[in-house]
Amino acid sequence: MNKQSHPTMAPNHPLITILVALLVLAGMVLLAIRPSGEADPSTDGTSVSSAEEEAPPPAEGEPDGLTVVDAADVVGVEEAELAYDGGIPASVAYPVIPNAEPLADFLERELNDEAHAFEAASPGAVSFEAEWNLTAAGGGLVGVRMTRVETDSEGPKEGYTTYWYDTATAEHHPSTALVAGQEELERLNTLVREAVGNGDGGSADPDVIHPISSLYDSMGFNPGGDLVVEFDAGQVAPVSEGRTYAVVDAEEAGALLSELGARVRDAATVGVEDFEVSAPAQTAGNGGGDGPGVGELYPVDDGVDCSDPGTKCVALTFDDGPGGRTSELLDVLAEYDARATFFLTGHPVMEHPHTVRRAYAEGHELANHTLNHPDLAGLGTGRVRSDLNTVQALVYRETGYTMDLMRPPYGSTDDGVASVTADLGLAQILWSVDTLDWKDRDASVVRDRVLKGASDGAIILMHDIHGTTIDATHTVVGELDARGYTMVTVSQLLGTTTPGEVYVDRVPDVSEEDV
Ligand code: ZN
């Protein structure tokens, strides 16, 4: 049905809808005239072989969207309303399905967290709404697609997340679990970029699409079995374009799917009648401990061991950004397979979310440098907490990553900051080499200071908001590489850090007296 040789990114064209409707009708006619008892030879292994069974009704939905299951076809489903405990009005509904209570519990927690993250990340937050629909029910699976509307001072913005629930194990899965692994997600990302690049509709930018969980959090199948990837308004195209999506041909997508993904596809491509969830065989649910999921990246996983005396590690760190030329710095780092750490402040994150996602996707470490860059010492723990929390929420919403390092502006910290950061799970990272690049806007001066200061275990402070610093990195990164340095993230350099503790280089500094 409507097989495309290439993935497409197209608006919901009425002609396509009509064609599909005609094809569906034609298929129904064929089914009707086929002698009863004869298996349909066109389906693969899932055909109805018994003369007693009736063919299931066709799956419903549009070719550019996820399959739509009428909730009335799921036995006993009810709607619950979230009792939101935050500070803005929230109107959030989610499904409660008999024998699938762990799903409802998960949705309640998740939506509450999402509303809190929106509120924390958006000083102008006005309201949070969410409604649900089912996108598969069968084969031991339920798919729940949430549509959120987040309203802030700039108006409403729509976003989507789709969760998958296994009724036998009582486990819930994110959409990234539909693909077999990170490599498959990367291949899917290439297909999606192609679809966007070839697209005759929408002005989404292929270059801002990366294989990370926050971008691939709403995936499923259309009734024909093609994989549909959808993006929130404003995520990869201007907000005014609303939902953007890519459809990846069933055959191409099939090779990338996990076992769960193949089961979901099978469930989403047949119609639903009186689906009933039986009590789960296991009740363990999501026990965790499975390591990072697909699309969740950690800045430490590439096998560099800085404690090895044969490895000379240096951590380049960039504060106060990202800036307009940070992508240029990312190009240079990529050229030398070098990693860096970006201590982000809030407003630049809001201004350059694509750069934040790219840095994350390319293996750099993201760390918290506060929302408004205040001197935290003596500020009061309430304000320190809310300032840091805002940036945690901002970065989490863009990337799905929870940062575990922070840098106090001006290196200024005290016991109150130590206690708040300990509580928030953030280690305090200072530096051992200060390039003073904010003061001396001269690329050759900055370069000389980096090269003079570099030593095994050093943490070097720079600011990627200054053009002269970006200019300096063009030669510095290559020169450090030539001198045998491995440029690593702070977490690669330090290994496991203790929240609240202060570090200036590879040896933890517990005295806190150096500022
Ligand atoms: Zn700063």
Side-chain angles (χ1 to χ4, degrees), residues 319-320 369 373:
D319 289 13
D320 300 358
H369 194 45
H373 209 268

Side-chain angles (χ1 to χ4, degrees), residues 123-186:
V126 174
S127 66
F128 184 90
E129 292 160 60
E131 52 187 48
W132 58 277
N133 71 279
L134 300 178
T135 181
L141 294 163
V142 175
V144 179
R145 177 174 176 269
M146 299 298 312
T147 303
R148 304 179 306 276
V149 179
E150 299 174 342
T151 304
D152 61 15
S153 51
E154 284 171 18
K157 211 156 94 176
E158 198 166 279
Y160 320 89
T161 314
T162 302
Y163 305 100
W164 302 95
Y165 179 75
D166 188 321
T167 62
T169 61
E171 285 174 315
H172 54 84
H173 303 278
S175 285
T176 46
L178 301 186
V179 295
Q182 188 62 32
E183 209 175 286
E184 285 77 7
L185 186 60
E186 281 164 21

Side-chain angles (χ1 to χ4, degrees), residues 150-320:
E150 299 174 342
T151 304
D152 61 15
S153 51
E154 284 171 18
K157 211 156 94 176
E158 198 166 279
Y160 320 89
T161 314
T162 302
Y163 305 100
W164 302 95
Y165 179 75
D166 188 321
T167 62
T169 61
E171 285 174 315
H172 54 84
H173 303 278
S175 285
T176 46
L178 301 186
V179 295
Q182 188 62 32
E183 209 175 286
E184 285 77 7
L185 186 60
E186 281 164 21
R187 274 155 58 199
L188 175 61
N189 193 68
T190 304
L191 294 173
V192 168
R193 282 182 168 197
E194 259 174 52
V196 169
N198 296 339
D200 50 0
S203 55
D205 179 359
D207 291 341
V208 306
I209 303 175
H210 302 286
I212 60 177
S213 59
S214 60
L215 290 176
Y216 285 86
D217 64 352
S218 194
M219 278 196 279
F221 296 88
N222 66 17
D226 304 315
L227 183 66
V228 179
V229 179
E230 54 184 4
F231 300 106
D232 301 346
Q235 216 168 20
V236 301
V239 178
S240 57
E241 296 190 16
R243 171 186 181 264
T244 46
Y245 62 91
V247 179
V248 177
D249 177 74
E251 206 171 313
E252 280 181 293
L256 307 176
L257 299 180
S258 62
E259 196 196 330
L260 176 76
R263 286 175 58 206
V264 164
R265 179 196 54 203
D266 294 347
T269 47
V270 295
V272 178
E273 266 179 340
D274 300 333
F275 176 72
E276 200 169 350
V277 177
S278 40
Q282 299 152 247
T283 49
N286 289 58
D290 288 326
V294 176
E296 293 173 13
L297 310 174
Y298 286 84
V300 287
D301 64 355
D302 67 358
V304 174
D305 179 7
C306 294
S307 67
D308 176 352
T311 306
K312 281 202 300 182
C313 289
V314 64
L316 303 181
T317 66
F318 297 92
D319 289 13
D320 300 358

